[in-house]
Amino acid sequence: MKFTKWQGCGNDFVLIDCRESEPADYAKLAIKVCDRHYGVGADGILVVLPSALPDADFRMRIFNTDGSEAEMCGNGIRCFARYLYDEGITKKTEFGVETGAGVLVPRIILEDGKVTGVRVDMGEPILEGDKIPVTGYGMNRVINEPITVQGKEYHMTCVSMGNPHCVVFVEDAENFPIYEVGTHFEHHEAFPRKTNTEFVEVKDRSHVRMRVWERGAAVTLACGTGSCATAVAGVLNDKTDRKVEVELDGGKLLVEWTPNNHVFMTGPAELVFTGELAD
């Protein structure tokens, strides 16, 4: 089985084209392939599939290092889109991709005929508690609400970008004990489907520093949907403008929450290497 390895701001993926044949067990494959000692090593696998939807050209599935399936991945969809374009599978620079979060539309950014990045319409943020989901809030928004984790009170703003996010603003993102508390946020009883958690330091109204604990993958160098959730949370808490640069462990993303309520994310997608998986 041939594969390509991609990264977007250090968030890395093994991409497998399964349009003609699929493995028997995606979860088992993801656990094996993502292992950084005995496998290829990645934060997850991206699967290329055909889509039967009229407004989608392709379907993307994402599996985490623990074998669980994610609804969406912002860095992943940029890598997915560039793979399709670079390999000549599509000649379109803008196309629909079916995901677990609905049909999203990436656009290949070209300068002098060369790909310099990918901009994705990530759709509209979901802000109602029951829809994210977060227990105890019904259809109300969850903005700057208290949550107790390991005996300490934090304040969370919750957003779904097709997958659940808990954004916590902190004074010092670099030195925040993310490895110690991240898993306790992910598995907190407030989140029936678990959650991704972003720990965010506001530098100024157009620049934030974000670190992330991803559901099913632990600490990663970047999270695209998390960056989008962070931008939305910044606006909801009047901490940032609607267009913000998100500085991650692995690079930077530009996120804009536009007046039509759609969130747009722009960033890199780079091929690392190609290979073939042994049986």
Side-chain angles (χ1 to χ4, degrees):
M1 182 180 291
K2 294 181 179 179
F3 71 89
T4 52
K5 173 78 178 286
W6 294 81
Q7 64 88 11
C9 292
N11 201 187
D12 59 344
F13 310 94
V14 171
L15 189 149
I16 304 169
D17 190 338
C18 295
R19 288 176 298 156
E20 295 185 0
S21 63
E22 297 189 64
D25 190 334
Y26 278 118
K28 183 177 180 180
L29 177 66
I31 293 170
K32 178 181 177 181
V33 168
C34 292
D35 190 294
R36 296 191 184 275
H37 299 288
Y38 299 103
V40 179
D43 292 324
I45 65 170
L46 305 175
V47 182
V48 182
L49 293 166
S51 175
L53 299 181
D55 54 346
D57 298 89
F58 303 94
R59 180 186 179 197
M60 180 180 78
R61 295 183 72 182
I62 313 104
F63 294 86
N64 297 313
T65 56
D66 65 356
S68 61
E69 184 169 5
E71 300 92 342
M72 236 300 287
C73 177
N75 291 314
I77 196 171
R78 294 199 316 277
C79 294
F80 184 92
R82 182 162 184 184
Y83 165 81
L84 294 171
Y85 184 80
D86 282 4
E87 292 294 317
I89 297 170
T90 181
K91 296 185 182 300
K92 297 180 181 179
T93 56
E94 186 169 308
F95 46 87
V97 177
E98 177 189 353
T99 75
V103 176
L104 301 182
V105 183
R107 177 168 62 85
I108 305 296
I109 300 172
L110 297 171
E111 293 182 12
D112 297 325
K114 294 183 179 180
V115 178
T116 59
V118 182
R119 186 174 191 254
V120 185
D121 181 347
M122 299 288 286
E124 301 183 51
I126 297 168
L127 303 176
E128 297 84 2
D130 280 354
K131 293 182 179 180
I132 293 172
V134 188
T135 59
Y137 294 91
M139 294 302 287
N140 296 315
R141 294 183 175 188
V142 186
I143 302 173
N144 197 34
E145 293 288 345
I147 182 172
T148 300
V149 178
Q150 288 191 296
K152 183 176 180 178
E153 184 176 276
Y154 299 88
H155 284 82
M156 64 178 179
T157 297
C158 297
V159 179
S160 172
M161 293 302 307
N163 55 352
H165 292 272
C166 170
V167 180
V168 178
F169 291 101
V170 299
E171 292 186 2
D172 184 357
E174 299 292 344
N175 294 304
F176 185 84
I178 187 170
Y179 286 93
E180 287 75 24
V181 303
T183 187
H184 298 285
F185 273 91
E186 177 184 354
H187 297 279
H188 195 282
E189 61 185 8
F191 308 112
R193 284 167 43 202
K194 299 191 284 189
T195 191
N196 303 280
T197 310
E198 289 74 38
F199 302 97
V200 183
E201 176 186 348
V202 178
K203 299 290 189 179
D204 57 53
R205 292 192 66 85
S206 62
H207 176 207
V208 301
R209 173 72 172 100
M210 185 195 101
R211 302 186 69 201
V212 59
W213 179 281
E214 288 201 55
R215 178 185 59 168
V219 176
T220 61
L221 295 181
C223 178
T225 53
S227 296
C228 294
T230 291
V232 171
V235 173
L236 293 175
N237 286 277
D238 194 26
K239 293 180 179 291
T240 65
D241 297 331
R242 297 184 76 92
K243 188 174 184 178
V244 64
E245 180 183 78
V246 182
E247 180 185 350
L248 306 150
D249 286 353
K252 297 177 181 179
L253 294 174
L254 184 64
V255 182
E256 182 177 9
W257 189 12
T258 60
N260 70 354
N261 201 35
H262 281 236
V263 179
F264 290 84
M265 172 195 62
T266 304
E270 302 291 339
L271 175 66
V272 182
F273 59 83
T274 64
E276 189 166 343
L277 299 172
D279 292 334

